[in-house]
Amino acid sequence: MEDKVEGYVEHIIFRNEENGYTVLNLNTEESNLTCVGIFQYVNEGEYLEATGQHTSHAVYGDQFKVEAYEVKVPQDARAMERYLGSGAIKGVGAALAARIVRRFKKDTLTIIDEQPERLAEIKGISDRKAREIAEQIAEKSQMQDAIIYMSQYGISLALALKIYNQYGDKVYSMLRNNPYKIAEDIAGVGFKTADEIASRIGIRVDSEFRIQSGLLYVLTQAGSNGHIYLPKAVLSGRASKMLGVPIEAMDKQLMDMAIERKVILKEVKDESGEPDTIVYSSQFYYLELNTARMLHELNITCQDDRGLVEHRIQSIESNENIELDDLQRQAVVEAACSGLLILTGGPGTGKTTTINTMLQYFASEGMDILLAAPTGRAAKRMTETTGYAASTIHRLLELSGSMEDSSADVTFERNQDNPLEADVVIIDEMSMVDINLMHALLLAIVPGTRLILVGDVNQLPSVGPGSVLRDMIRSNAFKVVELTRIFRQAAKSDIVVNAHRINAGESVVLDNKSRDFFFLKRFDVNVVLKVIVVLIQKKLPRYVGADTLDIQVLAPMRKGALGVENLNLVLQQYLNPPSHEKKEKETARGVLREGDKVMQIKNNYQMEWEVRGTNGFAAEQGLGVFNGDLGIIREINPFAETLTVEYDEHRFVEYIFKQLDELELAYATTIHKAQGSEYPAVIIPLLGGPRMLMTRNLLYTAVTRARKCVILVGSDVTFQAMINNHKIENRYTTLAERIEEFE
């Protein structure tokens, strides 16, 4: 049998913003009662009438389990006073609430609703404040009604609040007519969420709003896979399949979207010379276009006398006791005489020596120089090899934070209105830079500043959209110097030699006579796993003089017995087993334990970090933890529900438990995630895999991540098949074409 209770909400103990599950104290006439249940939206001070059952919890004692409830208008003076003075109404405390109720008694809420100007009769309340109080109470009532309305369509409390804050009282018409607008207007809400809501509301499957939203979603997903645009036929085909709507329905909607500038349609010729239509989201189209324009503006010829420049370079060579080859010398000359230079080349070809000579030259000219790379590890390596302080590109541009995890929406303090103060900007690991980051960088560089872009075009492309370095080279619009000679010292390393052989599609000798490149032929999964564990635990740390956690396993895949997910479970068991001394936290992906090696798996531009001094206090603070950052779990605090990770450069980041979906174990990572990083030793398991994934440049990228030692474990047949598979990931980009248009 159901019981009925009523009283005012004294204190909200806990509220799950996603599903509305709430624990609260209800002050009834008899006692204080702990109520639990789904409350779509209640505030402290509100008067509730609830039905449910009295229960007893093993830990928390007597509770009232609420099945249904209704927010009532407070009837007596005491309840009204508590409601007004609860803190729910901004600017009204307990004392002012008491004065209001003493003046108007049981008519208080009626007067606030119908004659709010009368509140000004009370000392301490101006006409303006009277209006504000009335507006707040009305707003809260409207919000409550809207949230309850949205709950019937399965919309969570957290999302309902976002929707109401976006649309206010227009929420009803928006949901009835076009619920897909929430996917366009509200960050973090995707098409699939909007589509679920729309189906509950009863929106037709072939609704124009649904088709348009679906088309934008497919374009967004393509961006996540690196594409800037999609051919119209590909876009329509994917959207039709996803939406369950005939492909013919797409054409009209695409035209309407083009008129509204949601998409850009462009007529081009395909590879066979036939006319074709390609479709961009407006955002990506203008990103490419503006990037091309800014690159063109930087691409100027400086007035420096080339003969004089060459003479100064010779002096540097003499003073530093180095000898540049012709291509290196050409690169330094072009850097001095060009507004924009691309320096590319594989490992051991002397890129570092060339950059250092450039730095010597620019320093001798009294120029201000800035160095940066896409990741913290790459920036750290740049600092070590040049002796100049290098930072991440995000830090260089002074990230100011954003609520989003998308680099498209992030804001920087350095931009066209506040450009970088430098004569020379050098960016390393350019293959990792996507179109969003490139656009942001160019906004902060004024024409006349020398921009030098360094990278290996044979590495994997950026994780984000675009193929910036490859497209810039393909455009033939900029000075490009490719270093090809492997220097004598580098030639002693089989890592370097074999990396070049892999890149050239040549066979590699696997006789294990090398000092730094080994292939252990093993054809059983369990044997491969055992070998990897023994290498990390016993053999490699001593061989390369590194800590166990510095040795990195790089796998081509996530799934399967030798995929990243399983490798991490196995390696965690051996390298950081459970212990009474180590606290742990279970997550959707598995257990995280103190001492675990972890990786941040999404860009979080709002996450705070601090570098701690010897006293434990913050010596430096900043924003931003990025996809691919590696760290160690130093502390798990189950009471505060926090987990602390130490990243490179002693940056400590505190995660609340709700944020742990941003972390995963990183004893093994995908090769893609290792871009821009170097490790003392790398272990690469190879035992079959999908052909489209097992490519030459994937293998090349993996091998070039190692400084002292590479060990491949698995099948030599798979190894050779990867060398033979020269399939380069085809990305739909047009930066090269946009650049050519400015020529």
Side-chain angles (χ1 to χ4, degrees), residues 592-657:
L592 294 176
R593 189 173 295 130
E594 288 176 342
D596 271 337
K597 184 178 179 180
V598 289
M599 175 184 281
Q600 174 78 13
I601 58 168
K602 62 190 284 192
N603 290 330
N604 187 328
Y605 299 99
Q606 286 266 102
M607 187 71 89
E608 295 177 357
W609 54 261
E610 61 181 33
V611 176
R612 295 176 182 172
T614 51
N615 56 7
F617 293 109
E620 187 186 351
Q621 292 175 306
L623 285 176
V625 187
F626 303 109
N627 189 354
D629 284 356
L630 290 178
I632 309 292
I633 298 176
R634 295 302 184 197
E635 185 187 8
I636 296 174
N637 187 330
F639 303 105
E641 297 194 338
T642 60
L643 179 150
T644 304
V645 178
E646 182 183 0
Y647 289 103
D648 283 343
E649 299 172 326
H650 306 294
R651 291 178 301 131
F652 286 82
V653 175
E654 190 173 273
Y655 294 79
I656 57 173
F657 281 179

XYZ file of all heavy atoms in Angstrom, residues 592-657:
543
model
N 41.316 0.825 -13.041
C 42.468 1.721 -12.992
C 43.061 1.630 -11.598
O 42.344 1.689 -10.603
C 42.050 3.167 -13.301
C 41.547 3.451 -14.724
C 41.091 4.902 -14.843
C 42.615 3.152 -15.769
N 44.392 1.519 -11.532
C 45.073 1.263 -10.252
C 46.219 2.251 -10.054
O 46.850 2.679 -11.029
C 45.619 -0.173 -10.285
C 46.176 -0.715 -9.004
C 46.513 -2.202 -9.170
N 45.318 -2.998 -9.409
C 45.178 -3.881 -10.408
N 46.176 -4.086 -11.257
N 44.050 -4.562 -10.562
N 46.482 2.627 -8.830
C 47.644 3.474 -8.552
C 48.895 2.811 -9.118
O 49.108 1.616 -8.923
C 47.783 3.720 -7.046
C 46.709 4.657 -6.491
C 46.776 4.841 -4.982
O 47.417 4.012 -4.286
O 46.176 5.809 -4.479
N 49.705 3.614 -9.823
C 50.899 3.063 -10.476
C 50.691 2.688 -11.926
O 51.653 2.405 -12.647
N 49.431 2.682 -12.403
C 49.145 2.326 -13.798
C 49.632 3.410 -14.756
O 49.567 4.605 -14.449
C 47.642 2.137 -14.021
C 47.174 0.715 -13.759
O 48.005 -0.210 -13.842
O 45.960 0.534 -13.478
N 50.085 2.966 -15.916
C 50.412 3.864 -17.016
C 49.129 4.100 -17.815
O 48.465 3.148 -18.237
C 51.480 3.208 -17.895
C 52.002 4.051 -19.037
C 53.088 3.252 -19.752
C 53.672 3.959 -20.931
N 54.722 3.119 -21.589
N 48.760 5.365 -17.989
C 47.487 5.692 -18.644
C 47.688 6.739 -19.730
O 48.708 7.426 -19.774
C 46.437 6.211 -17.628
C 45.965 5.088 -16.733
C 46.973 7.381 -16.815
N 46.663 6.843 -20.585
C 46.668 7.825 -21.670
C 45.355 8.612 -21.664
O 44.285 8.033 -21.474
C 46.830 7.121 -23.021
C 46.728 8.066 -24.215
S 46.799 7.182 -25.791
C 48.542 6.898 -25.924
N 45.480 9.933 -21.882
C 44.303 10.764 -22.133
C 43.848 10.483 -23.565
O 44.651 10.515 -24.497
C 44.683 12.236 -21.958
C 43.602 13.223 -22.333
C 42.528 13.389 -21.293
O 42.674 12.945 -20.149
N 41.436 14.036 -21.651
N 42.556 10.186 -23.773
C 42.121 9.737 -25.102
C 41.223 10.736 -25.820
O 40.659 10.441 -26.866
C 41.419 8.367 -25.028
C 40.207 8.426 -24.099
C 42.393 7.284 -24.611
C 39.319 7.204 -24.204
N 41.054 11.935 -25.261
C 40.347 12.990 -25.972
C 40.937 14.333 -25.559
O 41.509 14.461 -24.486
C 38.843 12.944 -25.682
C 38.475 13.157 -24.217
C 37.020 12.867 -23.947
C 36.121 13.954 -24.435
N 34.729 13.839 -23.947
N 40.825 15.306 -26.435
C 41.275 16.650 -26.083
C 40.334 17.251 -25.050
O 39.125 17.286 -25.260
C 41.309 17.555 -27.317
C 42.409 17.186 -28.267
O 43.455 16.683 -27.880
N 42.205 17.441 -29.555
N 40.897 17.695 -23.932
C 40.106 18.402 -22.927
C 40.771 19.746 -22.682
O 41.761 19.843 -21.963
C 40.017 17.589 -21.632
C 39.052 18.220 -20.631
O 38.894 19.432 -20.565
N 38.388 17.374 -19.852
N 40.239 20.766 -23.330
C 40.863 22.078 -23.302
C 40.602 22.826 -21.998
O 41.224 23.843 -21.738
C 40.368 22.909 -24.495
C 40.713 22.289 -25.818
C 39.787 21.538 -26.530
C 41.973 22.438 -26.367
C 40.108 20.955 -27.742
C 42.299 21.852 -27.571
C 41.370 21.117 -28.257
O 41.702 20.544 -29.456
N 39.690 22.296 -21.185
C 39.341 22.944 -19.919
C 40.053 22.343 -18.721
O 40.037 22.915 -17.650
C 37.828 22.819 -19.692
C 36.976 23.710 -20.559
C 36.638 24.997 -19.860
O 37.211 25.937 -20.147
N 35.739 25.034 -18.979
N 40.628 21.154 -18.898
C 41.227 20.447 -17.774
C 42.424 21.230 -17.223
O 43.319 21.630 -17.965
C 41.679 19.056 -18.216
C 42.172 18.176 -17.076
S 40.844 17.641 -16.005
C 40.367 16.155 -16.814
N 42.439 21.427 -15.897
C 43.525 22.179 -15.262
C 44.671 21.259 -14.885
O 44.455 20.122 -14.457
C 43.000 22.890 -14.009
C 41.950 23.956 -14.312
C 41.377 24.592 -13.075
O 41.756 24.170 -11.957
O 40.547 25.512 -13.196
N 45.897 21.738 -15.055
C 47.074 21.015 -14.576
C 47.948 21.942 -13.761
O 47.836 23.166 -13.868
C 47.889 20.413 -15.731
C 48.317 21.377 -16.809
C 47.708 21.555 -18.003
C 49.425 22.280 -16.790
N 48.352 22.516 -18.744
C 49.431 22.979 -18.021
C 50.421 22.565 -15.867
C 50.374 23.945 -18.338
C 51.376 23.535 -16.181
C 51.341 24.212 -17.402
N 48.799 21.349 -12.933
C 49.738 22.156 -12.156
C 51.061 21.420 -12.025
O 51.103 20.192 -11.933
C 49.174 22.485 -10.767
C 48.875 21.290 -9.882
C 48.290 21.688 -8.533
O 47.558 22.689 -8.489
O 48.543 20.985 -7.535
N 52.132 22.169 -12.086
C 53.469 21.641 -11.786
C 53.732 21.933 -10.313
O 53.667 23.077 -9.882
C 54.548 22.300 -12.679
C 55.931 21.799 -12.287
C 54.271 22.014 -14.156
N 53.986 20.880 -9.540
C 54.120 21.040 -8.093
C 55.569 21.200 -7.684
O 56.447 20.460 -8.148
C 53.488 19.835 -7.370
C 51.987 19.747 -7.593
C 51.361 18.515 -6.982
N 49.933 18.450 -7.266
C 49.173 17.406 -6.980
N 49.693 16.341 -6.401
N 47.879 17.431 -7.289
N 55.812 22.165 -6.805
C 57.148 22.363 -6.250
C 57.439 21.316 -5.189
O 56.620 20.447 -4.876
N 58.623 21.402 -4.594
C 59.036 20.426 -3.572
C 58.134 20.456 -2.345
O 57.988 19.469 -1.643
C 60.494 20.690 -3.130
O 60.616 22.090 -2.789
C 61.474 20.346 -4.254
N 57.500 21.620 -2.110
C 56.601 21.734 -0.955
C 55.188 21.214 -1.257
O 54.323 21.230 -0.370
C 56.517 23.195 -0.478
C 56.085 24.150 -1.602
O 55.719 23.711 -2.709
N 56.126 25.452 -1.320
N 54.968 20.771 -2.494
C 53.656 20.243 -2.865
C 52.695 21.273 -3.400
O 51.608 20.941 -3.878
N 53.081 22.567 -3.319
C 52.216 23.624 -3.837
C 52.462 23.829 -5.337
O 53.525 23.493 -5.853
C 52.455 24.935 -3.077
C 52.019 24.885 -1.634
C 52.960 24.868 -0.620
C 50.671 24.810 -1.300
C 52.569 24.793 0.715
C 50.263 24.747 0.024
C 51.202 24.731 1.037
N 51.480 24.431 -6.000
C 51.580 24.640 -7.444
C 52.607 25.715 -7.776
O 52.488 26.856 -7.327
C 50.221 25.030 -8.007
N 53.639 25.318 -8.561
C 54.635 26.289 -9.009
C 54.247 26.896 -10.353
O 54.665 27.986 -10.714
C 55.999 25.601 -9.129
N 53.446 26.150 -11.099
C 52.972 26.609 -12.409
C 51.624 25.964 -12.676
O 51.381 24.824 -12.288
C 53.974 26.207 -13.503
C 53.666 26.774 -14.875
C 54.593 26.252 -15.963
O 55.584 25.578 -15.630
O 54.283 26.495 -17.143
N 50.726 26.687 -13.315
C 49.405 26.147 -13.632
C 49.056 26.424 -15.086
O 49.586 27.341 -15.709
C 48.339 26.760 -12.714
C 48.466 26.344 -11.240
C 47.489 27.048 -10.350
O 47.441 28.273 -10.346
N 46.710 26.296 -9.585
N 48.162 25.610 -15.619
C 47.737 25.840 -16.996
C 46.500 25.022 -17.332
O 45.970 24.284 -16.497
N 46.047 25.163 -18.574
C 44.857 24.457 -19.054
C 45.220 23.518 -20.195
O 46.105 23.807 -20.985
C 43.804 25.447 -19.566
C 42.994 26.256 -18.564
C 42.106 27.234 -19.317
C 42.151 25.374 -17.685
N 44.506 22.414 -20.278
C 44.595 21.563 -21.453
C 45.356 20.266 -21.247
O 46.536 20.279 -20.895
N 44.643 19.143 -21.440
C 45.253 17.817 -21.505
C 44.770 17.223 -22.822
O 43.578 17.297 -23.145
C 44.832 16.916 -20.326
C 45.628 15.609 -20.335
C 45.034 17.618 -19.012
N 45.703 16.604 -23.582
C 45.390 16.302 -24.974
C 45.443 14.820 -25.301
O 46.159 14.045 -24.661
C 46.318 17.105 -25.897
C 46.226 18.576 -25.636
C 47.266 19.264 -25.039
C 45.066 19.264 -25.937
C 47.163 20.610 -24.755
C 44.951 20.609 -25.660
C 45.990 21.291 -25.067
N 44.671 14.494 -26.322
C 44.608 13.137 -26.848
C 46.025 12.603 -27.110
O 46.771 13.187 -27.879
C 43.796 13.193 -28.152
C 43.475 11.826 -28.696
O 43.943 10.812 -28.188
N 42.677 11.774 -29.733
N 46.396 11.501 -26.444
C 47.718 10.901 -26.637
C 48.709 11.188 -25.517
O 49.785 10.587 -25.471
N 48.365 12.104 -24.589
C 49.257 12.390 -23.451
C 49.351 11.158 -22.549
O 48.336 10.566 -22.171
C 48.732 13.583 -22.636
C 48.992 14.929 -23.311
O 49.644 14.925 -24.372
O 48.557 15.973 -22.785
N 50.599 10.770 -22.178
C 50.841 9.613 -21.314
C 51.207 10.059 -19.914
O 51.926 11.038 -19.727
C 51.990 8.764 -21.867
C 51.734 7.971 -23.158
C 53.011 7.234 -23.570
C 50.614 6.986 -22.998
N 50.710 9.330 -18.927
C 51.035 9.662 -17.544
C 50.929 8.444 -16.641
O 50.602 7.335 -17.070
N 51.202 8.647 -15.351
C 51.131 7.592 -14.331
C 50.110 8.002 -13.273
O 50.091 9.148 -12.829
C 52.506 7.372 -13.639
C 53.627 7.167 -14.668
C 52.433 6.204 -12.662
C 53.548 5.906 -15.460
N 49.249 7.061 -12.882
C 48.293 7.335 -11.794
C 49.059 7.371 -10.473
O 49.641 6.374 -10.054
C 47.183 6.273 -11.733
C 46.362 6.282 -13.033
C 46.265 6.527 -10.535
C 45.303 5.189 -13.098
N 49.059 8.534 -9.829
C 49.797 8.688 -8.573
C 48.919 8.496 -7.351
O 49.392 8.061 -6.303
C 50.450 10.084 -8.505
C 51.526 10.330 -9.554
C 52.639 9.318 -9.452
N 53.736 9.591 -10.380
C 54.648 8.695 -10.719
N 54.617 7.479 -10.192
N 55.595 9.004 -11.574
N 47.640 8.834 -7.466
C 46.774 8.720 -6.290
C 45.325 8.528 -6.722
O 44.843 9.149 -7.665
C 46.885 9.986 -5.417
C 46.102 9.887 -4.106
C 46.075 11.182 -3.328
O 46.526 12.228 -3.837
O 45.573 11.154 -2.188
N 44.625 7.648 -5.991
C 43.178 7.508 -6.124
C 42.583 7.782 -4.748
O 42.967 7.151 -3.763
C 42.784 6.099 -6.616
C 43.321 5.859 -8.038
C 41.269 5.922 -6.601
C 43.105 4.447 -8.567
N 41.672 8.742 -4.695
C 41.032 9.104 -3.428
C 39.557 8.747 -3.511
O 38.754 9.493 -4.070
C 41.202 10.609 -3.157
C 40.710 11.022 -1.778
O 39.792 10.419 -1.226
N 41.323 12.051 -1.217
N 39.154 7.588 -2.948
C 37.755 7.154 -3.082
C 36.776 8.044 -2.318
O 35.593 8.087 -2.652
C 37.772 5.731 -2.492
C 39.015 5.648 -1.674
C 39.991 6.618 -2.225
N 37.252 8.738 -1.283
C 36.357 9.594 -0.496
C 36.042 10.899 -1.229
O 34.883 11.308 -1.314
C 36.981 9.881 0.880
C 37.288 8.638 1.654
C 38.614 8.185 1.776
C 36.263 7.882 2.220
C 38.899 7.016 2.457
C 36.546 6.703 2.905
C 37.859 6.270 3.019
N 37.079 11.530 -1.784
C 36.869 12.749 -2.575
C 36.423 12.425 -3.995
O 36.059 13.320 -4.765
C 38.145 13.580 -2.609
N 36.490 11.113 -4.358
C 36.152 10.630 -5.701
C 36.998 11.329 -6.768
O 36.499 11.866 -7.751
C 34.652 10.791 -5.991
C 33.765 9.962 -5.070
C 32.335 9.843 -5.535
O 31.890 10.704 -6.317
O 31.646 8.886 -5.145
N 38.330 11.309 -6.520
C 39.272 11.906 -7.464
C 40.405 10.935 -7.771
O 40.711 10.042 -6.966
C 39.880 13.214 -6.923
O 40.573 12.940 -5.690
C 38.814 14.276 -6.714
N 41.016 11.138 -8.926
C 42.169 10.348 -9.351
C 43.200 11.323 -9.920
O 42.860 12.175 -10.748
C 41.726 9.316 -10.386
C 42.751 8.382 -11.000
C 42.076 7.059 -11.372
C 43.394 8.986 -12.263
N 44.462 11.211 -9.457
C 45.502 12.152 -9.877
C 46.511 11.448 -10.783
O 47.030 10.389 -10.451
C 46.234 12.751 -8.655
O 45.262 13.366 -7.793
C 47.248 13.793 -9.086
N 46.764 12.070 -11.945
C 47.730 11.543 -12.913
C 48.882 12.535 -13.042
O 48.665 13.745 -13.117
C 47.080 11.334 -14.303
C 48.110 10.842 -15.317
C 45.912 10.353 -14.214
N 50.108 11.995 -13.076
C 51.270 12.827 -13.360
C 51.694 12.617 -14.813
O 52.038 11.508 -15.220
C 52.444 12.485 -12.438
C 53.664 13.389 -12.678
C 54.878 13.040 -11.831
O 54.783 12.078 -11.026
O 55.915 13.718 -11.972
N 51.656 13.694 -15.592
C 52.069 13.668 -16.991
C 53.507 14.169 -17.140
O 54.162 14.511 -16.152
C 51.108 14.528 -17.840
C 49.736 13.900 -18.008
C 48.642 14.356 -17.271
C 49.539 12.860 -18.897
C 47.390 13.775 -17.429
C 48.283 12.280 -19.057
C 47.220 12.733 -18.318
O 45.984 12.149 -18.474
N 53.977 14.211 -18.398
C 55.330 14.724 -18.671
C 55.517 16.098 -18.047
O 54.555 16.854 -17.861
C 55.546 14.833 -20.188
C 55.809 13.475 -20.812
O 56.133 12.538 -20.060
O 55.688 13.338 -22.042
N 56.764 16.424 -17.761
C 57.136 17.721 -17.184
C 56.488 17.936 -15.810
O 56.238 19.048 -15.384
C 56.759 18.874 -18.135
C 57.471 18.790 -19.489
C 56.965 19.803 -20.492
O 55.783 20.131 -20.480
O 57.785 20.276 -21.293
N 56.201 16.805 -15.119
C 55.665 16.846 -13.750
C 54.355 17.632 -13.641
O 54.088 18.301 -12.645
C 56.714 17.418 -12.774
C 58.016 16.699 -12.819
N 58.157 15.379 -12.425
C 59.240 17.095 -13.281
C 59.416 15.008 -12.611
N 60.086 16.015 -13.119
N 53.544 17.548 -14.704
C 52.216 18.173 -14.670
C 51.234 17.217 -14.002
O 51.031 16.102 -14.477
C 51.739 18.519 -16.088
C 52.516 19.653 -16.754
C 52.013 19.910 -18.173
N 52.143 18.753 -18.989
C 51.181 18.250 -19.765
N 50.027 18.861 -19.836
N 51.368 17.166 -20.492
N 50.629 17.669 -12.904
C 49.646 16.857 -12.189
C 48.239 17.301 -12.578
O 47.928 18.491 -12.591
C 49.830 16.998 -10.675
C 51.039 16.278 -10.139
C 52.301 16.846 -10.211
C 50.920 15.017 -9.566
C 53.425 16.182 -9.737
C 52.026 14.340 -9.087
C 53.286 14.922 -9.172
N 47.405 16.310 -12.876
C 46.020 16.588 -13.268
C 45.098 15.772 -12.365
O 45.281 14.568 -12.199
C 45.769 16.215 -14.743
C 44.292 16.398 -15.093
C 46.631 17.077 -15.661
N 44.118 16.433 -11.797
C 43.146 15.756 -10.932
C 41.843 15.546 -11.690
O 41.214 16.489 -12.162
C 42.905 16.589 -9.671
C 42.085 15.853 -8.595
C 42.005 16.631 -7.302
O 42.928 16.480 -6.474
O 41.054 17.421 -7.130
N 41.443 14.276 -11.803
C 40.191 13.904 -12.456
C 39.147 13.571 -11.391
O 39.453 12.900 -10.401
C 40.374 12.646 -13.315
C 41.282 12.802 -14.507
C 42.667 12.779 -14.367
C 40.763 12.942 -15.787
C 43.507 12.911 -15.469
C 41.590 13.059 -16.905
C 42.957 13.042 -16.724
O 43.789 13.167 -17.825
N 37.912 14.031 -11.593
C 36.828 13.490 -10.777
C 36.395 12.178 -11.431
O 36.616 11.970 -12.633
C 35.657 14.478 -10.618
C 35.104 14.904 -11.986
C 36.078 15.693 -9.805
C 33.847 15.753 -11.910
N 35.796 11.306 -10.658
C 35.470 9.971 -11.165
C 34.604 10.016 -12.421
O 34.688 9.152 -13.291
C 34.800 9.138 -10.074
C 35.762 8.554 -9.052
C 35.304 7.796 -7.989
C 37.118 8.764 -9.175
C 36.180 7.260 -7.057
C 38.027 8.229 -8.255
C 37.542 7.471 -7.195
